[in-house]
C-alpha cells in the first residue's frame, strides 16, 4: 500500500529538531521521534508500505495520521510536490517572533517603556524590514506579532503585510492603540489572506486619555473595538493600573466584555522609559497595592460571572469555562525537575526583535540595564543569533536550577518548591543580573499573598461555578488564548 502526505503538510527539520510535520494552514509543527518520522517520509506515493508487517505502534501511527487527514492512500500519479519534500532550516526551531516594526507612535503615552513618543529606538527602513522578513523565512519562522511603537503609522504597513504573506508568514497578532484602525485596513489584511487577532490597550473608563497623552484616544479605542467585534476579529486588551484608574477596574472590564473583548491583562507599570519621569513616578502602585487591587477585584470578577479571560499580573489567572483558577507566580518545581524545567517556557520558542534590530528574549527587556548584552540582527545573521550554542539561546533556555544556583537567595528560600524564581523580565527591572530572583515573587510568597488571594477568590469561584458549570474546552483554543502568555 502506498500513502502520500496531504498537500497541506510539509516535511521540515531544524538543527535541534530534525523530524517535523509542518501544517501550512495552522503554521504549527508536530515533531516526531525518529522511527515515526522515517516511516512518514515513506508516505511519498512511491514507497510501498506493508502495514501488516509493521509493529503495532507503527500501525497505530499510520491509522491515526490517515484518520486525521495528514496522509491518505496514494493514487496512480499521487506523489509529494517539491515544496513538501524534506528540508532542514539552518537554525534552531523558533515558533514565533514579537517584532517592533517601528519605534515611533502617534500618541504620547506617559508610561511607554519604549519611549515611543520620542522614537528612542528609531524606525527601520523598508529595506531593513524586508531583510528581517527574509531572515525569518530562512530560519523557518512562520508566525509573527507586529508591534511598535504604533505599527499602523508606517506608510508601508500594507507593503510589509504583503511581504510577509508572500513568504507564507502569518501575522498572528497586531498590537495597536486603535487610532488608525478602520474598515479599509481590515479589508486589505483579508485580501492578503491575513486575519490576525488584535491587542489594544485600554486604561480605564474616563482615564484612558490621561495615560495616552492625547485627547480623544478613548473614543478612538472604543470605536476600534466595536469595529473589530463587528468584523469578527479576536480581541484582547491590556490595562496598566495606577493610582488614577485603580477604582475603574471593574467598570472597565465589564465595558470591554460588552464590546466583544475575550481576554484582558491587568498589570502595573514598568519604571522604564517615559514612566521613569518624575511627572508620573508617584502614580506607580507598590507590590502591596497591586495585590490589594487583585484581592478586592477577584470576588467582583466572579460575581460578574467571569466576563472574559483575565490575568492580573502574576497573581491571578482564569479563563471562563475552566474548572479552576490559578496563580501565575506559583510554579511548583522540586529538585528532581529543576534541571530540565525552563525558567520561562515562553522564551524557548519565541523572542523579540526591536525597531533598532536588537534581539531580546522578551520585549520588556529591550530597555533594561542588561540590554547592551543582547545581539543585533543588523550586525549578526539571525540564524547565528538563535543557534543552539549562542549566548542568546542559552538565555532563552535558562533552567530553574540555574536561577536557583546563580541567584543565591532562591536556593535557600523556603518557598523554592513552589516558586521558580519568577519572570526574567521582572528580575531585570530591579537588577542587571539575568539570573536574579523576581522581587515580585519574593514579596508575594514572603508576605502570605498566596493564602490571602485564595481566601478572596475561592468562595466567590465556588459560587460562580454553581451558576456557570465548567465546560469542556478545545485544546487548540486554549493554546492560542492570549491570557496564556506571560504577564
Amino acid at each position: 500500500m502506498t500513502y502520500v502526505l496531504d498537500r497541506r503538510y510539509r516535511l521540515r527539520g531544524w538543527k535541534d529538531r530534525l523530524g517535523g510535520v509542518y501544517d501550512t494552514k495552522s503554521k504549527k509543527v508536530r515533531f516526531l521521534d525518529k522511527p515515526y518520522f522515517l516511516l512518514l517520509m515513506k508516505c511519498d506515493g512511491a514507497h510501498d508500505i506493508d502495514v501488516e508487517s509493521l509493529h503495532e505502534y507503527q500501525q497505530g501511527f499510520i491509522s491515526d495520521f490517515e484518520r486525521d487527514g495528514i496522509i491518505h492512500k496514494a493514487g496512480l500519479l499521487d506523489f509529494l510536490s517539491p515544496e513538501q519534500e524534506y528540508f532542514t532550516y539552518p537554525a534552531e526551531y523558533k515558533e514565533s517572533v514579537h517584532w517592533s516594526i517601528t519605534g515611533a507612535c502617534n500618541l504620547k503615552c506617559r508610561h511607554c517603556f519604549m519611549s515611543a513618543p520620542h522614537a528612542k529606538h528609531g524606525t527601520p527602513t523598508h529595506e531593513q524590514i524586508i531583510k528581517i522578513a527574509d531572515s525569518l523565512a530562512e530560519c523557518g519562522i512562520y508566525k509573527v506579532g507586529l508591534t511598535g511603537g504604533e505599527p499602523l503609522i508606517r506608510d508601508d504597513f500594507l507593503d510589509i503585510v504583503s511581504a510577509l504573506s508572500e513568504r507564507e508568514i502569518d501575522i498572528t497578532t497586531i498590537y495597536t492603540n486603535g487610532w488608525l484602525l478602520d474598515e479599509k485596513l481590515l479589508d486589505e489584511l483579508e485580501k492578503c489572506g491575513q486575519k490576525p487577532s488584535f491587542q489594544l490597550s485600554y486604561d480605564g473608563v474616563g482615564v484612558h486619555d490621561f495615560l495616552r497623552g492625547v485627547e480623544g484616544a478613548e473614543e478612538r479605542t472604543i470605536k476600534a473595538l466595536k469595529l473589530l467585534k463587528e468584523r469578527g476579529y479576536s480581541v484582547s486588551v491590556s490595562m496598566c493600573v495606577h493610582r488614577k484608574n485603580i477604582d475603574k477596574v471593574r467598570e472597565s472590564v465589564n465595558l470591554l466584555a460588552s464590546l466583544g473583548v475575550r481576554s484582558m491583562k491587568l498589570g502595573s507599570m514598568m519604571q522604564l522609559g517615559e514612566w521613569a519621569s518624575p511627572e508620573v513616578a508617584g502614580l506607580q502602585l507598590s507590590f502591596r497595592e497591586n495585590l490589594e487591587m487583585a484581592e478586592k477585584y477577584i470576588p467582583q470578577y466572579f460575581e460578574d460571572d467571569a466576563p472574559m479571560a483575565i490575568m492580573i499580573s502574576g497573581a491571578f489567572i482564569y479563563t471562563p469555562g475552566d474548572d479552576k483558577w490559578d496563580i501565575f507566580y506559583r510554579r511548583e518545581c522540586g529538585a528532581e525537575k529543576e534541571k530540565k524545567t525552563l525558567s520561562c517556557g515562553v522564551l524557548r520558542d519565541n523572542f523579540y526583535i526591536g525597531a533598532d534590530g536588537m534581539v531580546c528574549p522578551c520585549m520588556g527587556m529591550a530597555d533594561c540595564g542588561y540590554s547592551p548584552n543582547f545581539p543585533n540582527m543588523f550586525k549578526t545573521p539571525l540564524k547565528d543569533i538563535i543557534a543552539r550554542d549562542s549566548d542568546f539561546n542559552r538565555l532563552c533556555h535558562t533552567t530553574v536550577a540555574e536561577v536557583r544556583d546563580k541567584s543565591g537567595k532562591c536556593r535557600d528560600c523556603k518557598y523554592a518548591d513552589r516558586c521558580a524564581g519568577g519572570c526574567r523580565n521582572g528580575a531585570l527591572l530591579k537588577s542587571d543580573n539575568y539570573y536574579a530572583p523576581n522581587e515580585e515573587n519574593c514579596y508575594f510568597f514572603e508576605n502570605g499573598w498566596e493564602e490571602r488571594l485564595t481566601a478572596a477568590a475561592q468562595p466567590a469561584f465556588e459560587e460562580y461555578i454553581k451558576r456557570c458549570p465548567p465546560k469542556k474546552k478545545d485544546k487548540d483554543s486554549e493554546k492560542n488564548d492570549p491570557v496564556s502568555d506571560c504577564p
Side-chain angles (χ1 to χ4, degrees):
M1 177 66 68
T2 57
Y3 293 87
V4 68
L5 196 67
D6 186 83
R7 295 289 181 183
R8 173 175 169 173
Y9 300 94
R10 298 174 184 175
L11 301 174
R12 292 292 183 265
W14 286 258
K15 283 192 171 182
D16 57 334
R17 305 185 204 183
L18 293 175
V21 188
Y22 170 58
D23 184 344
T24 59
K25 255 189 177 179
S26 68
K27 305 297 180 180
K28 294 181 179 180
V29 182
R30 178 172 177 176
F31 291 100
L32 303 174
D33 291 337
K34 185 176 180 179
Y36 296 108
F37 189 71
L38 291 176
L39 180 57
L40 184 62
M41 289 187 71
K42 292 182 178 180
C43 297
D44 58 2
H47 285 82
D48 185 59
I49 299 175
D50 183 2
V51 177
E52 296 298 323
S53 67
L54 297 176
H55 190 281
E56 63 178 308
Y57 293 117
Q58 293 175 310
Q59 291 179 6
F61 170 79
I62 292 290
S63 177
D64 290 346
F65 266 47
E66 186 175 13
R67 181 199 62 211
D68 294 341
I70 299 173
I71 61 174
H72 59 261
K73 295 180 177 63
L76 183 61
L77 299 175
D78 202 0
F79 303 102
L80 290 184
S81 63
E83 62 269 16
Q84 289 181 284
E85 294 176 357
Y86 183 64
F87 175 81
T88 304
Y89 294 103
E92 270 60 36
Y93 176 75
K94 291 288 184 180
E95 181 180 10
S96 66
V97 61
H98 193 56
W99 180 16
S100 285
I101 59 174
T102 178
C105 186
N106 55 332
L107 299 186
K108 301 176 182 178
C109 302
R110 301 172 192 268
H111 65 312
C112 182
F113 70 92
M114 296 283 291
S115 291
H118 312 297
K120 178 181 177 180
H121 292 271
T123 294
T125 66
H126 184 74
E127 290 71 24
Q128 288 174 319
I129 288 285
I130 296 304
K131 286 182 179 179
I132 291 176
D134 285 337
S135 295
L136 297 179
E138 178 190 24
C139 293
I141 300 168
Y142 290 108
K143 291 182 180 180
V144 63
L146 298 182
T147 187
E150 170 52 49
L152 302 186
I153 67 169
R154 289 195 63 118
D155 292 337
D156 62 348
F157 180 77
L158 290 175
D159 294 328
I160 295 171
V161 172
S162 295
L164 292 171
S165 298
E166 289 167 4
R167 290 159 180 77
E168 298 186 331
I169 298 174
D170 260 17
I171 303 171
T172 56
T173 309
I174 294 176
Y175 300 79
T176 174
N177 57 45
W179 191 282
L180 300 173
L181 206 155
D182 57 20
E183 294 269 12
K184 181 180 178 182
L185 174 73
L186 299 180
D187 289 341
E188 293 300 322
L189 284 170
E190 291 171 18
K191 284 180 184 177
C192 290
Q194 302 278 3
K195 192 163 184 178
S197 65
F198 281 84
Q199 184 170 121
L200 280 72
S201 296
Y202 184 75
D203 296 299
V205 176
V207 190
H208 184 75
D209 286 5
F210 162 77
L211 202 61
R212 299 293 148 179
V214 174
E215 187 176 346
E218 182 171 359
E219 181 182 351
R220 298 292 283 263
T221 298
I222 296 296
K223 181 180 177 181
L225 291 171
K226 288 179 178 178
L227 173 61
L228 291 168
K229 179 182 179 181
E230 180 183 319
R231 294 286 295 259
Y233 281 80
S234 176
V235 184
S236 60
V237 163
S238 61
M239 178 176 176
C240 290
V241 185
H242 52 90
R243 299 195 195 286
K244 280 185 175 288
N245 67 2
I246 192 170
D247 294 326
K248 300 286 187 178
V249 170
R250 186 177 194 177
E251 182 182 1
S252 300
V253 171
N254 290 336
L255 170 66
L256 294 170
S258 73
L259 296 173
V261 175
R262 71 183 185 97
S263 64
M264 188 172 182
K265 296 177 186 176
L266 298 169
S268 56
M269 315 302 192
M270 294 189 292
Q271 288 194 298
L272 300 169
E274 301 303 286
W275 196 254
S277 70
E279 177 192 3
V280 291
L283 298 178
Q284 174 81 24
L285 299 179
S286 66
F287 292 160
R288 177 181 60 80
E289 290 171 319
N290 197 48
L291 291 168
E292 286 175 344
M293 177 272 292
E295 185 178 37
K296 176 183 177 181
Y297 174 62
I298 292 168
Q300 298 173 347
Y301 169 76
F302 285 125
E303 288 170 12
D304 296 336
D305 289 340
M308 66 174 75
I310 201 163
M311 173 184 277
I312 304 177
S313 297
F316 176 80
I317 183 169
Y318 182 71
T319 299
D322 282 359
D323 59 2
K324 65 179 180 178
W325 58 276
D326 207 354
I327 294 172
F328 200 83
Y329 289 132
R330 182 174 57 205
R331 288 183 61 205
E332 297 181 6
C333 185
E336 293 183 6
K337 295 182 179 179
E338 65 175 24
K339 292 182 179 180
K340 294 183 178 180
T341 301
L342 297 181
S343 172
C344 178
V346 175
L347 303 186
R348 179 185 61 186
D349 293 336
N350 307 272
F351 63 100
Y352 168 73
I353 300 174
D356 55 359
M358 180 189 295
V359 180
C360 306
C362 174
M363 185 179 186
M365 300 177 185
D367 204 24
C368 67
Y370 192 86
S371 58
N373 296 292
F374 293 127
N376 191 299
M377 65 181 301
F378 294 154
K379 299 176 181 179
T380 305
L382 181 61
K383 63 181 180 180
D384 294 335
I385 291 173
I386 62 175
R388 177 183 297 182
D389 296 327
S390 69
D391 291 339
F392 174 81
N393 216 33
R394 279 194 287 271
L395 291 178
C396 294
H397 286 77
T398 295
T399 64
V400 172
E402 288 179 283
V403 173
R404 288 177 179 170
D405 290 339
K406 295 181 180 182
S407 73
K409 178 180 180 179
C410 290
R411 176 58 65 192
D412 299 325
C413 179
K414 67 178 182 179
Y415 300 105
D417 64 338
R418 62 215 314 186
C419 173
C423 169
R424 297 301 85 215
N425 180 26
L428 289 175
L429 291 178
K430 300 293 183 179
S431 167
D432 292 345
N433 177 10
Y434 190 88
Y435 302 96
N438 182 351
E439 290 184 14
E440 289 188 12
N441 284 54
C442 300
Y443 183 87
F444 183 84
F445 288 106
E446 290 171 359
N447 292 276
W449 279 99
E450 182 179 18
E451 294 79 14
R452 283 184 65 167
L453 289 185
T454 299
Q458 191 60 27
F461 174 69
E462 290 174 1
E463 291 300 315
Y464 159 71
I465 59 173
K466 288 178 184 177
R467 301 188 303 271
C468 308
K471 300 177 181 177
K472 187 175 181 180
K473 297 188 67 178
D474 177 72
K475 290 183 180 180
D476 287 338
S477 67
E478 288 179 5
K479 289 178 183 177
N480 292 327
D481 197 323
V483 163
S484 298
D485 297 338
C486 61

